[in-house]
Amino acid sequence: GGKQGADKGHSFDDIMQWVEEEFTDDGCVLKQIGWMDAEGNHLEEAIHADLATLPEGVQAGLSEDGVAECVSSMMAEGAEKYAHCEAAYTEQEGAVLMDVFTKIAGYKCFMGQL
């Protein structure tokens, strides 16, 4: 049952599998258009160059500050919601999860502006 897993926290492997299943298609598209490298890092220069080709009205609706605020808010919300799970992960797993969740939050916040 999902409730039991939620109380105990999910295993690192389960989380990474979910991330892969959930974002494989998006990641593939972003890599194909040159917005993401093989490690899942956003390629800021390519993204900015492409966004600069959009009409001014569309560009005006995009805000780096807005994305940063959104990411900060999502991460704080997640930290509060999943604080009880923190002890279940090694320091290295915790660092990987933070990196992955930060990238997911950035992606979701950016896409939310488009």
Side-chain angles (χ1 to χ4, degrees):
K3 181 73 177 135
Q4 182 182 1
D7 289 343
K8 292 182 178 178
H10 296 282
S11 78
F12 178 77
D13 290 338
D14 286 349
I15 293 170
M16 295 308 291
Q17 183 179 346
W18 174 83
V19 168
E20 190 172 320
E21 290 170 3
E22 191 75 13
F23 293 98
T24 294
D25 291 344
D26 297 272
C28 187
V29 170
L30 294 173
K31 287 174 190 166
Q32 288 294 318
I33 65 172
W35 283 18
M36 182 186 287
D37 66 18
E39 286 79 45
N41 298 305
H42 295 102
L43 302 174
E44 297 289 332
E45 285 183 26
I47 294 169
H48 288 293
D50 287 347
L51 295 179
T53 66
L54 295 172
E56 279 186 39
V58 175
Q59 287 182 42
L62 301 174
S63 157
E64 284 189 44
D65 289 342
V67 171
E69 284 177 29
C70 173
V71 169
S72 181
S73 174
M74 281 182 84
M75 295 302 288
E77 205 173 286
E80 191 175 307
K81 186 174 178 181
Y82 298 107
H84 64 282
C85 299
E86 206 172 307
Y89 307 109
T90 66
E91 191 173 327
Q92 185 178 358
E93 288 172 341
V96 169
L97 291 173
M98 282 298 293
D99 183 53
V100 167
F101 292 143
T102 301
K103 288 176 181 174
I104 289 171
Y107 174 69
K108 286 186 166 190
C109 291
F110 174 75
M111 294 304 286
Q113 286 192 355
L114 296 179

